[in-house]
Amino acid sequence: MSLKTILSQLNFRQRCKRYGLSLWQCPDFVFIIMGIVVIFSALFTYTISFRYIEDPLLIALIVILISWVLLILGYIVTHAVEKLAEATRLKLEFLTIMSHQLRAPFANLRWVIDLLVSGRIGSVPEDQKEYLDILKENSARLEELINKIITVSKIESGRLPLEKKPISLKEIVQKVIHGSKVFAEASNVEIEFHSEDNLPNVVGDESRIREVVENFIDNAIKYTKNKGKVKVSLLKKGNWLYFEVKDSGIGIPKEDQKYIFQKFFRSQTALRRQARGSGLGLFIAKSIILAHKGKIGFSSEEGKGSTFWFTLPISLSKDN
Ligand code: ADP
């Protein structure tokens, strides 16, 4: 075994990164902890036995026996954690490869559908246009899902690149609200926007922050419907910009609230009311906001509505 291989084996941080886990969840770390537990248990057993047992042979036997039991237990635990970590790594690798492989054919598919819909290669009969529109909408949704899976795999492997620059959160919110108008009208939901004037910029990745704002507003409309109201607010709170989306929708049952930011989680009420959704948006939103050193949270009451919020630090900005 070369020195380089030995050194890479000892580089725990790198090995944990390979599994997409933090240091303390990683098998190598568990192995070290188990080793420390065995050493301390042996010393403890020795001290206790020494006090109550006179025969040194018996003391040695007890210490060896307890150490062996703990060593075997430690091996089983570390092995199980390693298997789990390996399964997580394979899942991550599978997700990354699958989503990247799917993205190209879907881009082509969308391009062909757009071409057909545009009528540039011949007019499409009226009765067939409707089917093309369905095809277009569904392929767009699948593409969105693939992009979300790619983002999740980047987050999990700790490789989500952020292109930070000073940005106006107010402009982003205005654009997202403008873009959501058709969906809001179709869902019979009214959107109100209140913002303080002269808000400072924040430093962040514009497209990623827009993704979070879109997710909050899209969810608020999606889980409201029927003459509902969505109130969007943006204000300055100390050294933070505070963004909030309050809806009068279905709310989230208390027992589901602790899982809301977990990936692929969708509450039962949401599943019953709204088929469209992946349960990835809020997981991505949380990762993005935390990567900007902000905070994210929500409050909700089933049947009454929800309020999702995030904050971004102003102090990071260079041009305020
Ligand atoms: P998606 O909406 O695609 O399922 P998200 O990650 O954005 O995924 O949301 C996760 C879950 O959180 C949703 O499935 C829903 O159960 C719940 N949720 C999010 N926003 C709201 C909201 N405004 N009102 C009620 N439930 C919500």
PDB file of all heavy atoms in Angstrom, residues 148 215-216 218-224 247 249-252 260 262 265-271 276-284 300 305-308, ligand 1:
ATOM      1  N   LYS A 148     -34.815  19.627 -10.063  1.00  0.00           N
ATOM      2  CA  LYS A 148     -34.822  19.621  -8.587  1.00  0.00           C
ATOM      3  C   LYS A 148     -33.959  18.478  -8.069  1.00  0.00           C
ATOM      4  O   LYS A 148     -33.214  18.646  -7.099  1.00  0.00           O
ATOM      5  CB  LYS A 148     -36.262  19.463  -8.079  1.00  0.00           C
ATOM      6  CG  LYS A 148     -36.997  20.793  -8.043  1.00  0.00           C
ATOM      7  CD  LYS A 148     -38.319  20.660  -7.358  1.00  0.00           C
ATOM      8  CE  LYS A 148     -38.996  22.024  -7.263  1.00  0.00           C
ATOM      9  NZ  LYS A 148     -40.398  21.937  -6.932  1.00  0.00           N
ATOM     10  N   ASN A 215     -40.727  29.020  -4.778  1.00  0.00           N
ATOM     11  CA  ASN A 215     -41.252  27.864  -4.052  1.00  0.00           C
ATOM     12  C   ASN A 215     -42.301  28.287  -3.023  1.00  0.00           C
ATOM     13  O   ASN A 215     -43.382  27.698  -2.935  1.00  0.00           O
ATOM     14  CB  ASN A 215     -40.097  27.105  -3.394  1.00  0.00           C
ATOM     15  CG  ASN A 215     -40.570  25.975  -2.516  1.00  0.00           C
ATOM     16  OD1 ASN A 215     -40.595  26.079  -1.295  1.00  0.00           O
ATOM     17  ND2 ASN A 215     -41.019  24.892  -3.123  1.00  0.00           N
ATOM     18  N   PHE A 216     -41.991  29.344  -2.234  1.00  0.00           N
ATOM     19  CA  PHE A 216     -42.927  29.815  -1.203  1.00  0.00           C
ATOM     20  C   PHE A 216     -44.244  30.275  -1.839  1.00  0.00           C
ATOM     21  O   PHE A 216     -45.330  29.918  -1.376  1.00  0.00           O
ATOM     22  CB  PHE A 216     -42.320  30.996  -0.426  1.00  0.00           C
ATOM     23  CG  PHE A 216     -41.363  30.600   0.668  1.00  0.00           C
ATOM     24  CD1 PHE A 216     -40.808  29.337   0.712  1.00  0.00           C
ATOM     25  CD2 PHE A 216     -41.012  31.505   1.666  1.00  0.00           C
ATOM     26  CE1 PHE A 216     -39.929  28.980   1.723  1.00  0.00           C
ATOM     27  CE2 PHE A 216     -40.134  31.152   2.684  1.00  0.00           C
ATOM     28  CZ  PHE A 216     -39.590  29.902   2.697  1.00  0.00           C
ATOM     29  N   ASP A 218     -45.419  29.714  -4.946  1.00  0.00           N
ATOM     30  CA  ASP A 218     -46.086  28.613  -5.662  1.00  0.00           C
ATOM     31  C   ASP A 218     -46.845  27.724  -4.669  1.00  0.00           C
ATOM     32  O   ASP A 218     -48.004  27.373  -4.883  1.00  0.00           O
ATOM     33  CB  ASP A 218     -45.017  27.812  -6.422  1.00  0.00           C
ATOM     34  CG  ASP A 218     -45.625  26.747  -7.317  1.00  0.00           C
ATOM     35  OD1 ASP A 218     -46.421  27.124  -8.193  1.00  0.00           O
ATOM     36  OD2 ASP A 218     -45.332  25.555  -7.129  1.00  0.00           O
ATOM     37  N   ASN A 219     -46.184  27.386  -3.549  1.00  0.00           N
ATOM     38  CA  ASN A 219     -46.852  26.549  -2.532  1.00  0.00           C
ATOM     39  C   ASN A 219     -48.075  27.261  -1.954  1.00  0.00           C
ATOM     40  O   ASN A 219     -49.128  26.640  -1.769  1.00  0.00           O
ATOM     41  CB  ASN A 219     -45.890  26.245  -1.379  1.00  0.00           C
ATOM     42  CG  ASN A 219     -44.974  25.082  -1.698  1.00  0.00           C
ATOM     43  OD1 ASN A 219     -45.168  24.380  -2.683  1.00  0.00           O
ATOM     44  ND2 ASN A 219     -43.964  24.892  -0.878  1.00  0.00           N
ATOM     45  N   ALA A 220     -47.916  28.552  -1.671  1.00  0.00           N
ATOM     46  CA  ALA A 220     -49.024  29.309  -1.060  1.00  0.00           C
ATOM     47  C   ALA A 220     -50.256  29.270  -1.980  1.00  0.00           C
ATOM     48  O   ALA A 220     -51.381  29.073  -1.510  1.00  0.00           O
ATOM     49  CB  ALA A 220     -48.596  30.740  -0.789  1.00  0.00           C
ATOM     50  N   ILE A 221     -50.029  29.418  -3.287  1.00  0.00           N
ATOM     51  CA  ILE A 221     -51.167  29.388  -4.229  1.00  0.00           C
ATOM     52  C   ILE A 221     -51.708  27.957  -4.333  1.00  0.00           C
ATOM     53  O   ILE A 221     -52.910  27.716  -4.247  1.00  0.00           O
ATOM     54  CB  ILE A 221     -50.739  29.888  -5.632  1.00  0.00           C
ATOM     55  CG1 ILE A 221     -50.162  31.296  -5.553  1.00  0.00           C
ATOM     56  CG2 ILE A 221     -51.913  29.837  -6.613  1.00  0.00           C
ATOM     57  CD1 ILE A 221     -49.519  31.788  -6.845  1.00  0.00           C
ATOM     58  N   LYS A 222     -50.748  27.031  -4.496  1.00  0.00           N
ATOM     59  CA  LYS A 222     -51.112  25.619  -4.704  1.00  0.00           C
ATOM     60  C   LYS A 222     -51.945  25.060  -3.557  1.00  0.00           C
ATOM     61  O   LYS A 222     -52.878  24.295  -3.762  1.00  0.00           O
ATOM     62  CB  LYS A 222     -49.795  24.843  -4.824  1.00  0.00           C
ATOM     63  CG  LYS A 222     -49.878  23.527  -5.510  1.00  0.00           C
ATOM     64  CD  LYS A 222     -48.486  23.085  -5.957  1.00  0.00           C
ATOM     65  CE  LYS A 222     -47.602  22.673  -4.804  1.00  0.00           C
ATOM     66  NZ  LYS A 222     -46.317  22.109  -5.232  1.00  0.00           N
ATOM     67  N   TYR A 223     -51.582  25.455  -2.322  1.00  0.00           N
ATOM     68  CA  TYR A 223     -52.284  24.887  -1.162  1.00  0.00           C
ATOM     69  C   TYR A 223     -53.354  25.837  -0.615  1.00  0.00           C
ATOM     70  O   TYR A 223     -53.742  25.741   0.543  1.00  0.00           O
ATOM     71  CB  TYR A 223     -51.278  24.501  -0.078  1.00  0.00           C
ATOM     72  CG  TYR A 223     -50.299  23.459  -0.573  1.00  0.00           C
ATOM     73  CD1 TYR A 223     -48.940  23.721  -0.688  1.00  0.00           C
ATOM     74  CD2 TYR A 223     -50.755  22.205  -0.969  1.00  0.00           C
ATOM     75  CE1 TYR A 223     -48.058  22.767  -1.174  1.00  0.00           C
ATOM     76  CE2 TYR A 223     -49.880  21.243  -1.460  1.00  0.00           C
ATOM     77  CZ  TYR A 223     -48.532  21.541  -1.559  1.00  0.00           C
ATOM     78  OH  TYR A 223     -47.673  20.590  -2.055  1.00  0.00           O
ATOM     79  N   THR A 224     -53.795  26.799  -1.440  1.00  0.00           N
ATOM     80  CA  THR A 224     -54.871  27.693  -0.997  1.00  0.00           C
ATOM     81  C   THR A 224     -56.117  27.478  -1.855  1.00  0.00           C
ATOM     82  O   THR A 224     -56.984  26.700  -1.510  1.00  0.00           O
ATOM     83  CB  THR A 224     -54.429  29.167  -1.036  1.00  0.00           C
ATOM     84  OG1 THR A 224     -53.339  29.321  -0.133  1.00  0.00           O
ATOM     85  CG2 THR A 224     -55.540  30.097  -0.594  1.00  0.00           C
ATOM     86  N   ASP A 247     -50.536  32.510   3.784  1.00  0.00           N
ATOM     87  CA  ASP A 247     -51.706  32.111   2.987  1.00  0.00           C
ATOM     88  C   ASP A 247     -52.866  31.716   3.879  1.00  0.00           C
ATOM     89  O   ASP A 247     -52.714  31.524   5.089  1.00  0.00           O
ATOM     90  CB  ASP A 247     -51.342  30.980   2.015  1.00  0.00           C
ATOM     91  CG  ASP A 247     -50.984  29.673   2.705  1.00  0.00           C
ATOM     92  OD1 ASP A 247     -51.795  29.170   3.495  1.00  0.00           O
ATOM     93  OD2 ASP A 247     -49.877  29.150   2.447  1.00  0.00           O
ATOM     94  N   GLY A 249     -54.674  28.973   3.325  1.00  0.00           N
ATOM     95  CA  GLY A 249     -54.942  27.671   2.709  1.00  0.00           C
ATOM     96  C   GLY A 249     -55.196  26.524   3.671  1.00  0.00           C
ATOM     97  O   GLY A 249     -55.673  26.727   4.796  1.00  0.00           O
ATOM     98  N   ILE A 250     -54.809  25.340   3.233  1.00  0.00           N
ATOM     99  CA  ILE A 250     -55.167  24.110   3.969  1.00  0.00           C
ATOM    100  C   ILE A 250     -54.378  23.933   5.268  1.00  0.00           C
ATOM    101  O   ILE A 250     -54.778  23.182   6.137  1.00  0.00           O
ATOM    102  CB  ILE A 250     -54.969  22.853   3.083  1.00  0.00           C
ATOM    103  CG1 ILE A 250     -53.514  22.763   2.586  1.00  0.00           C
ATOM    104  CG2 ILE A 250     -55.938  22.861   1.921  1.00  0.00           C
ATOM    105  CD1 ILE A 250     -53.202  21.474   1.821  1.00  0.00           C
ATOM    106  N   GLY A 251     -53.232  24.616   5.379  1.00  0.00           N
ATOM    107  CA  GLY A 251     -52.413  24.470   6.591  1.00  0.00           C
ATOM    108  C   GLY A 251     -51.716  23.118   6.650  1.00  0.00           C
ATOM    109  O   GLY A 251     -51.895  22.269   5.766  1.00  0.00           O
ATOM    110  N   ILE A 252     -50.941  22.942   7.697  1.00  0.00           N
ATOM    111  CA  ILE A 252     -50.185  21.690   7.840  1.00  0.00           C
ATOM    112  C   ILE A 252     -50.518  21.063   9.195  1.00  0.00           C
ATOM    113  O   ILE A 252     -50.398  21.721  10.229  1.00  0.00           O
ATOM    114  CB  ILE A 252     -48.659  21.971   7.759  1.00  0.00           C
ATOM    115  CG1 ILE A 252     -48.331  22.663   6.424  1.00  0.00           C
ATOM    116  CG2 ILE A 252     -47.853  20.697   7.898  1.00  0.00           C
ATOM    117  CD1 ILE A 252     -46.980  23.339   6.398  1.00  0.00           C
ATOM    118  N   ILE A 260     -41.506  18.866   7.598  1.00  0.00           N
ATOM    119  CA  ILE A 260     -41.765  19.711   6.427  1.00  0.00           C
ATOM    120  C   ILE A 260     -40.527  20.023   5.579  1.00  0.00           C
ATOM    121  O   ILE A 260     -40.608  20.074   4.362  1.00  0.00           O
ATOM    122  CB  ILE A 260     -42.495  21.007   6.895  1.00  0.00           C
ATOM    123  CG1 ILE A 260     -43.983  20.703   7.054  1.00  0.00           C
ATOM    124  CG2 ILE A 260     -42.297  22.179   5.960  1.00  0.00           C
ATOM    125  CD1 ILE A 260     -44.704  20.100   5.876  1.00  0.00           C
ATOM    126  N   GLN A 262     -37.955  18.061   5.259  1.00  0.00           N
ATOM    127  CA  GLN A 262     -37.256  16.843   4.833  1.00  0.00           C
ATOM    128  C   GLN A 262     -37.555  16.573   3.367  1.00  0.00           C
ATOM    129  O   GLN A 262     -38.674  16.814   2.908  1.00  0.00           O
ATOM    130  CB  GLN A 262     -37.751  15.641   5.633  1.00  0.00           C
ATOM    131  CG  GLN A 262     -37.144  15.566   6.994  1.00  0.00           C
ATOM    132  CD  GLN A 262     -37.592  14.326   7.753  1.00  0.00           C
ATOM    133  OE1 GLN A 262     -38.232  13.439   7.199  1.00  0.00           O
ATOM    134  NE2 GLN A 262     -37.275  14.287   9.021  1.00  0.00           N
ATOM    135  N   PHE A 265     -40.868  14.776   1.520  1.00  0.00           N
ATOM    136  CA  PHE A 265     -42.020  14.722   2.424  1.00  0.00           C
ATOM    137  C   PHE A 265     -43.176  15.573   1.905  1.00  0.00           C
ATOM    138  O   PHE A 265     -43.007  16.725   1.523  1.00  0.00           O
ATOM    139  CB  PHE A 265     -41.655  15.184   3.838  1.00  0.00           C
ATOM    140  CG  PHE A 265     -42.848  15.089   4.754  1.00  0.00           C
ATOM    141  CD1 PHE A 265     -43.224  13.868   5.279  1.00  0.00           C
ATOM    142  CD2 PHE A 265     -43.640  16.203   5.011  1.00  0.00           C
ATOM    143  CE1 PHE A 265     -44.355  13.766   6.078  1.00  0.00           C
ATOM    144  CE2 PHE A 265     -44.773  16.108   5.810  1.00  0.00           C
ATOM    145  CZ  PHE A 265     -45.128  14.886   6.341  1.00  0.00           C
ATOM    146  N   ARG A 266     -44.371  14.977   1.883  1.00  0.00           N
ATOM    147  CA  ARG A 266     -45.590  15.714   1.540  1.00  0.00           C
ATOM    148  C   ARG A 266     -46.648  15.341   2.578  1.00  0.00           C
ATOM    149  O   ARG A 266     -46.838  14.163   2.876  1.00  0.00           O
ATOM    150  CB  ARG A 266     -46.099  15.330   0.148  1.00  0.00           C
ATOM    151  CG  ARG A 266     -45.055  15.530  -0.948  1.00  0.00           C
ATOM    152  CD  ARG A 266     -45.698  15.590  -2.312  1.00  0.00           C
ATOM    153  NE  ARG A 266     -46.520  16.767  -2.435  1.00  0.00           N
ATOM    154  CZ  ARG A 266     -47.606  16.842  -3.189  1.00  0.00           C
ATOM    155  NH1 ARG A 266     -47.999  15.797  -3.875  1.00  0.00           N
ATOM    156  NH2 ARG A 266     -48.317  17.941  -3.243  1.00  0.00           N
ATOM    157  N   SER A 267     -47.323  16.339   3.136  1.00  0.00           N
ATOM    158  CA  SER A 267     -48.288  16.019   4.187  1.00  0.00           C
ATOM    159  C   SER A 267     -49.530  15.365   3.576  1.00  0.00           C
ATOM    160  O   SER A 267     -49.819  15.557   2.393  1.00  0.00           O
ATOM    161  CB  SER A 267     -48.663  17.276   4.971  1.00  0.00           C
ATOM    162  OG  SER A 267     -49.677  17.968   4.296  1.00  0.00           O
ATOM    163  N   GLN A 268     -50.231  14.606   4.405  1.00  0.00           N
ATOM    164  CA  GLN A 268     -51.419  13.879   3.924  1.00  0.00           C
ATOM    165  C   GLN A 268     -52.462  14.835   3.361  1.00  0.00           C
ATOM    166  O   GLN A 268     -53.072  14.564   2.327  1.00  0.00           O
ATOM    167  CB  GLN A 268     -52.037  13.062   5.069  1.00  0.00           C
ATOM    168  CG  GLN A 268     -51.268  11.801   5.408  1.00  0.00           C
ATOM    169  CD  GLN A 268     -51.046  10.895   4.201  1.00  0.00           C
ATOM    170  OE1 GLN A 268     -51.960  10.661   3.419  1.00  0.00           O
ATOM    171  NE2 GLN A 268     -49.820  10.410   4.029  1.00  0.00           N
ATOM    172  N   THR A 269     -52.639  15.986   4.046  1.00  0.00           N
ATOM    173  CA  THR A 269     -53.643  16.955   3.574  1.00  0.00           C
ATOM    174  C   THR A 269     -53.260  17.474   2.187  1.00  0.00           C
ATOM    175  O   THR A 269     -54.112  17.642   1.322  1.00  0.00           O
ATOM    176  CB  THR A 269     -53.738  18.161   4.544  1.00  0.00           C
ATOM    177  OG1 THR A 269     -52.455  18.396   5.081  1.00  0.00           O
ATOM    178  CG2 THR A 269     -54.731  17.966   5.628  1.00  0.00           C
ATOM    179  N   ALA A 270     -51.944  17.707   1.994  1.00  0.00           N
ATOM    180  CA  ALA A 270     -51.484  18.206   0.693  1.00  0.00           C
ATOM    181  C   ALA A 270     -51.689  17.135  -0.374  1.00  0.00           C
ATOM    182  O   ALA A 270     -52.143  17.428  -1.484  1.00  0.00           O
ATOM    183  CB  ALA A 270     -50.017  18.595   0.779  1.00  0.00           C
ATOM    184  N   LEU A 271     -51.383  15.900  -0.029  1.00  0.00           N
ATOM    185  CA  LEU A 271     -51.538  14.802  -0.990  1.00  0.00           C
ATOM    186  C   LEU A 271     -52.991  14.649  -1.440  1.00  0.00           C
ATOM    187  O   LEU A 271     -53.272  14.378  -2.600  1.00  0.00           O
ATOM    188  CB  LEU A 271     -51.047  13.484  -0.374  1.00  0.00           C
ATOM    189  CG  LEU A 271     -49.526  13.295  -0.376  1.00  0.00           C
ATOM    190  CD1 LEU A 271     -49.149  12.128   0.516  1.00  0.00           C
ATOM    191  CD2 LEU A 271     -49.022  13.048  -1.787  1.00  0.00           C
ATOM    192  N   ARG A 276     -49.966  17.612  -7.693  1.00  0.00           N
ATOM    193  CA  ARG A 276     -48.688  18.123  -8.201  1.00  0.00           C
ATOM    194  C   ARG A 276     -47.745  18.473  -7.040  1.00  0.00           C
ATOM    195  O   ARG A 276     -48.125  19.224  -6.146  1.00  0.00           O
ATOM    196  CB  ARG A 276     -48.949  19.378  -9.037  1.00  0.00           C
ATOM    197  CG  ARG A 276     -47.706  19.974  -9.652  1.00  0.00           C
ATOM    198  CD  ARG A 276     -48.064  21.025 -10.662  1.00  0.00           C
ATOM    199  NE  ARG A 276     -48.516  22.268 -10.048  1.00  0.00           N
ATOM    200  CZ  ARG A 276     -47.691  23.225  -9.646  1.00  0.00           C
ATOM    201  NH1 ARG A 276     -46.394  23.070  -9.759  1.00  0.00           N
ATOM    202  NH2 ARG A 276     -48.162  24.331  -9.129  1.00  0.00           N
ATOM    203  N   GLY A 277     -46.573  17.912  -7.067  1.00  0.00           N
ATOM    204  CA  GLY A 277     -45.602  18.219  -6.013  1.00  0.00           C
ATOM    205  C   GLY A 277     -44.617  17.081  -5.838  1.00  0.00           C
ATOM    206  O   GLY A 277     -44.933  15.926  -6.119  1.00  0.00           O
ATOM    207  N   SER A 278     -43.415  17.442  -5.387  1.00  0.00           N
ATOM    208  CA  SER A 278     -42.374  16.427  -5.241  1.00  0.00           C
ATOM    209  C   SER A 278     -41.876  16.316  -3.805  1.00  0.00           C
ATOM    210  O   SER A 278     -41.210  15.353  -3.447  1.00  0.00           O
ATOM    211  CB  SER A 278     -41.195  16.801  -6.138  1.00  0.00           C
ATOM    212  OG  SER A 278     -40.709  18.081  -5.753  1.00  0.00           O
ATOM    213  N   GLY A 279     -42.176  17.326  -2.995  1.00  0.00           N
ATOM    214  CA  GLY A 279     -41.650  17.328  -1.628  1.00  0.00           C
ATOM    215  C   GLY A 279     -40.169  17.699  -1.597  1.00  0.00           C
ATOM    216  O   GLY A 279     -39.482  17.437  -0.612  1.00  0.00           O
ATOM    217  N   LEU A 280     -39.670  18.307  -2.668  1.00  0.00           N
ATOM    218  CA  LEU A 280     -38.247  18.675  -2.701  1.00  0.00           C
ATOM    219  C   LEU A 280     -38.005  20.172  -2.526  1.00  0.00           C
ATOM    220  O   LEU A 280     -36.931  20.595  -2.116  1.00  0.00           O
ATOM    221  CB  LEU A 280     -37.621  18.234  -4.041  1.00  0.00           C
ATOM    222  CG  LEU A 280     -37.510  16.735  -4.254  1.00  0.00           C
ATOM    223  CD1 LEU A 280     -36.966  16.427  -5.641  1.00  0.00           C
ATOM    224  CD2 LEU A 280     -36.612  16.113  -3.201  1.00  0.00           C
ATOM    225  N   GLY A 281     -39.038  20.967  -2.854  1.00  0.00           N
ATOM    226  CA  GLY A 281     -38.878  22.426  -2.874  1.00  0.00           C
ATOM    227  C   GLY A 281     -38.393  22.999  -1.554  1.00  0.00           C
ATOM    228  O   GLY A 281     -37.448  23.806  -1.528  1.00  0.00           O
ATOM    229  N   LEU A 282     -39.007  22.602  -0.454  1.00  0.00           N
ATOM    230  CA  LEU A 282     -38.632  23.201   0.835  1.00  0.00           C
ATOM    231  C   LEU A 282     -37.273  22.706   1.330  1.00  0.00           C
ATOM    232  O   LEU A 282     -36.547  23.430   1.994  1.00  0.00           O
ATOM    233  CB  LEU A 282     -39.718  22.924   1.883  1.00  0.00           C
ATOM    234  CG  LEU A 282     -40.991  23.754   1.724  1.00  0.00           C
ATOM    235  CD1 LEU A 282     -42.032  23.336   2.753  1.00  0.00           C
ATOM    236  CD2 LEU A 282     -40.703  25.246   1.851  1.00  0.00           C
ATOM    237  N   PHE A 283     -36.945  21.462   0.990  1.00  0.00           N
ATOM    238  CA  PHE A 283     -35.615  20.939   1.342  1.00  0.00           C
ATOM    239  C   PHE A 283     -34.545  21.790   0.640  1.00  0.00           C
ATOM    240  O   PHE A 283     -33.571  22.228   1.252  1.00  0.00           O
ATOM    241  CB  PHE A 283     -35.499  19.475   0.903  1.00  0.00           C
ATOM    242  CG  PHE A 283     -34.111  18.913   1.025  1.00  0.00           C
ATOM    243  CD1 PHE A 283     -33.615  18.513   2.256  1.00  0.00           C
ATOM    244  CD2 PHE A 283     -33.271  18.826  -0.086  1.00  0.00           C
ATOM    245  CE1 PHE A 283     -32.323  18.018   2.378  1.00  0.00           C
ATOM    246  CE2 PHE A 283     -31.983  18.340   0.023  1.00  0.00           C
ATOM    247  CZ  PHE A 283     -31.505  17.932   1.257  1.00  0.00           C
ATOM    248  N   ILE A 284     -34.796  22.059  -0.658  1.00  0.00           N
ATOM    249  CA  ILE A 284     -33.851  22.872  -1.433  1.00  0.00           C
ATOM    250  C   ILE A 284     -33.820  24.299  -0.866  1.00  0.00           C
ATOM    251  O   ILE A 284     -32.750  24.880  -0.660  1.00  0.00           O
ATOM    252  CB  ILE A 284     -34.245  22.875  -2.933  1.00  0.00           C
ATOM    253  CG1 ILE A 284     -34.102  21.469  -3.517  1.00  0.00           C
ATOM    254  CG2 ILE A 284     -33.408  23.875  -3.731  1.00  0.00           C
ATOM    255  CD1 ILE A 284     -34.623  21.300  -4.923  1.00  0.00           C
ATOM    256  N   SER A 300     -47.991  27.235  11.142  1.00  0.00           N
ATOM    257  CA  SER A 300     -49.151  26.785  10.373  1.00  0.00           C
ATOM    258  C   SER A 300     -50.219  26.194  11.285  1.00  0.00           C
ATOM    259  O   SER A 300     -49.923  25.643  12.342  1.00  0.00           O
ATOM    260  CB  SER A 300     -48.687  25.722   9.368  1.00  0.00           C
ATOM    261  OG  SER A 300     -49.752  25.334   8.551  1.00  0.00           O
ATOM    262  N   GLY A 305     -54.328  28.044   7.530  1.00  0.00           N
ATOM    263  CA  GLY A 305     -53.307  28.635   6.669  1.00  0.00           C
ATOM    264  C   GLY A 305     -51.899  28.495   7.222  1.00  0.00           C
ATOM    265  O   GLY A 305     -51.695  27.961   8.317  1.00  0.00           O
ATOM    266  N   SER A 306     -50.959  28.952   6.419  1.00  0.00           N
ATOM    267  CA  SER A 306     -49.548  28.836   6.800  1.00  0.00           C
ATOM    268  C   SER A 306     -48.806  30.129   6.510  1.00  0.00           C
ATOM    269  O   SER A 306     -49.205  30.890   5.634  1.00  0.00           O
ATOM    270  CB  SER A 306     -48.858  27.727   5.990  1.00  0.00           C
ATOM    271  OG  SER A 306     -49.620  26.564   5.961  1.00  0.00           O
ATOM    272  N   THR A 307     -47.721  30.326   7.243  1.00  0.00           N
ATOM    273  CA  THR A 307     -46.834  31.460   6.979  1.00  0.00           C
ATOM    274  C   THR A 307     -45.419  30.918   6.881  1.00  0.00           C
ATOM    275  O   THR A 307     -44.898  30.351   7.842  1.00  0.00           O
ATOM    276  CB  THR A 307     -46.889  32.488   8.125  1.00  0.00           C
ATOM    277  OG1 THR A 307     -48.252  32.880   8.291  1.00  0.00           O
ATOM    278  CG2 THR A 307     -46.054  33.713   7.825  1.00  0.00           C
ATOM    279  N   PHE A 308     -44.837  31.037   5.698  1.00  0.00           N
ATOM    280  CA  PHE A 308     -43.442  30.626   5.511  1.00  0.00           C
ATOM    281  C   PHE A 308     -42.583  31.882   5.429  1.00  0.00           C
ATOM    282  O   PHE A 308     -42.972  32.868   4.807  1.00  0.00           O
ATOM    283  CB  PHE A 308     -43.291  29.796   4.230  1.00  0.00           C
ATOM    284  CG  PHE A 308     -43.676  28.350   4.435  1.00  0.00           C
ATOM    285  CD1 PHE A 308     -45.010  27.961   4.386  1.00  0.00           C
ATOM    286  CD2 PHE A 308     -42.715  27.394   4.699  1.00  0.00           C
ATOM    287  CE1 PHE A 308     -45.370  26.637   4.608  1.00  0.00           C
ATOM    288  CE2 PHE A 308     -43.068  26.067   4.914  1.00  0.00           C
ATOM    289  CZ  PHE A 308     -44.400  25.684   4.866  1.00  0.00           C
TER     290      PHE A 308
HETATM  291  P1  ADP B   1     -44.214  20.150  -2.877  1.00  0.00           P
HETATM  292  O1  ADP B   1     -45.067  21.350  -2.664  1.00  0.00           O
HETATM  293  O2  ADP B   1     -43.686  20.054  -4.272  1.00  0.00           O
HETATM  294  O3  ADP B   1     -44.855  18.878  -2.404  1.00  0.00           O
HETATM  295  P2  ADP B   1     -42.390  21.331  -0.969  1.00  0.00           P
HETATM  296  O4  ADP B   1     -41.074  20.826  -0.505  1.00  0.00           O
HETATM  297  O5  ADP B   1     -42.441  22.686  -1.551  1.00  0.00           O
HETATM  298  O6  ADP B   1     -42.899  20.256  -2.012  1.00  0.00           O
HETATM  299  O7  ADP B   1     -43.394  21.232   0.237  1.00  0.00           O
HETATM  300  C1  ADP B   1     -43.376  20.066   1.059  1.00  0.00           C
HETATM  301  C2  ADP B   1     -44.703  19.867   1.708  1.00  0.00           C
HETATM  302  O8  ADP B   1     -44.930  20.915   2.648  1.00  0.00           O
HETATM  303  C3  ADP B   1     -45.892  19.943   0.755  1.00  0.00           C
HETATM  304  O9  ADP B   1     -46.130  18.727   0.104  1.00  0.00           O
HETATM  305  C4  ADP B   1     -47.007  20.307   1.722  1.00  0.00           C
HETATM  306  O10 ADP B   1     -47.423  19.156   2.420  1.00  0.00           O
HETATM  307  C5  ADP B   1     -46.317  21.222   2.736  1.00  0.00           C
HETATM  308  N1  ADP B   1     -46.483  22.649   2.400  1.00  0.00           N
HETATM  309  C6  ADP B   1     -45.562  23.484   1.897  1.00  0.00           C
HETATM  310  N2  ADP B   1     -46.048  24.733   1.770  1.00  0.00           N
HETATM  311  C7  ADP B   1     -47.316  24.686   2.217  1.00  0.00           C
HETATM  312  C8  ADP B   1     -48.363  25.662   2.362  1.00  0.00           C
HETATM  313  N3  ADP B   1     -48.193  26.935   2.006  1.00  0.00           N
HETATM  314  N4  ADP B   1     -49.547  25.242   2.882  1.00  0.00           N
HETATM  315  C9  ADP B   1     -49.726  23.955   3.252  1.00  0.00           C
HETATM  316  N5  ADP B   1     -48.794  22.993   3.144  1.00  0.00           N
HETATM  317  C10 ADP B   1     -47.600  23.353   2.636  1.00  0.00           C
END
